[in-house]
Amino acid sequence: ASCVYITIESSADIDKVQSDLKEIYAKYDVEKAFDEEVFKQNMSWITQPFLMMTLVVVFMSVFIIYSSFKVVMLEKLPAVGTFRSIGADKKRMNGVLLLESGIYGIVGGVMACCLGTGILYILAAVMSSSLGMRGAVQITLKPSSLITTFALSNTVAFASTIIPILSVSKIALKDIILNNRPYKGKKMVSGAVIGGICTAGGM
């Protein structure tokens, strides 16, 4: 038996095209290559775990970035004290630190878009091979999806770093000069314990 696959425009009505082809080729069977509802059900076992993983990864990323940036801020206290001692106000220092955070968010957003696009094409190739039809599953990337990914990356970076930046700005200049650093003792230990629990839970 021979078969012919017909590709129609995305805006066309599939049911109407199918009925028209049945009238034209009355001696042949005209059927859809695959049922959309069945395909969505088959894809649900992939999409739902990915959504759950996305939520877990976002929360873990916020905590990891927050903890890491807090350590970075403590290491930069001498530099912050130097700039503030020569006349830099808190708003200007916060702006510089937020700019650094923004750069991290931009780099992370670009990498997320590139890696996500690559993973989507790999999944499309795997699904096409499982259906036995090359190119059956095609990827259509919308600019809105890339913009959302990029915006989410920058939002996570900003939300994770704003608290350490504001905490550093509240430290008095004399405490920085005298090396009276916060976040000592139990706070650092409890942070490490919470980080270990989150990491174990994600695994």
Side-chain angles (χ1 to χ4, degrees), residues 99-134:
L99 178 61
E100 180 179 354
S101 171
I103 293 174
Y104 293 149
I106 292 172
V107 173
V110 173
M111 292 181 63
C113 291
C114 294
L115 291 176
T117 302
I119 292 173
L120 283 177
Y121 277 105
I122 292 173
L123 289 176
V126 171
M127 293 300 299
S128 296
S129 62
S130 65
L131 293 173
M133 295 178 291
R134 184 178 181 182

Side-chain angles (χ1 to χ4, degrees), residues 52-145:
M52 294 298 297
M53 288 176 59
T54 300
L55 293 176
V56 173
V57 168
V58 167
F59 283 111
M60 289 184 62
S61 299
V62 169
F63 178 79
I64 293 172
I65 296 173
Y66 165 77
S67 302
S68 302
F69 211 78
K70 184 166 65 174
V71 174
V72 171
M73 290 296 96
L74 291 177
E75 293 178 351
K76 289 187 175 182
L77 275 179
V80 172
T82 301
F83 282 106
R84 286 177 59 179
S85 63
I86 61 177
D89 56 7
K90 293 182 180 181
K91 291 184 179 180
R92 184 170 299 178
M93 290 303 306
N94 290 343
V96 173
L97 297 175
L98 286 174
L99 178 61
E100 180 179 354
S101 171
I103 293 174
Y104 293 149
I106 292 172
V107 173
V110 173
M111 292 181 63
C113 291
C114 294
L115 291 176
T117 302
I119 292 173
L120 283 177
Y121 277 105
I122 292 173
L123 289 176
V126 171
M127 293 300 299
S128 296
S129 62
S130 65
L131 293 173
M133 295 178 291
R134 184 178 181 182
V137 181
Q138 297 181 356
I139 299 298
T140 302
L141 287 176
K142 298 180 180 179
S144 59
S145 299

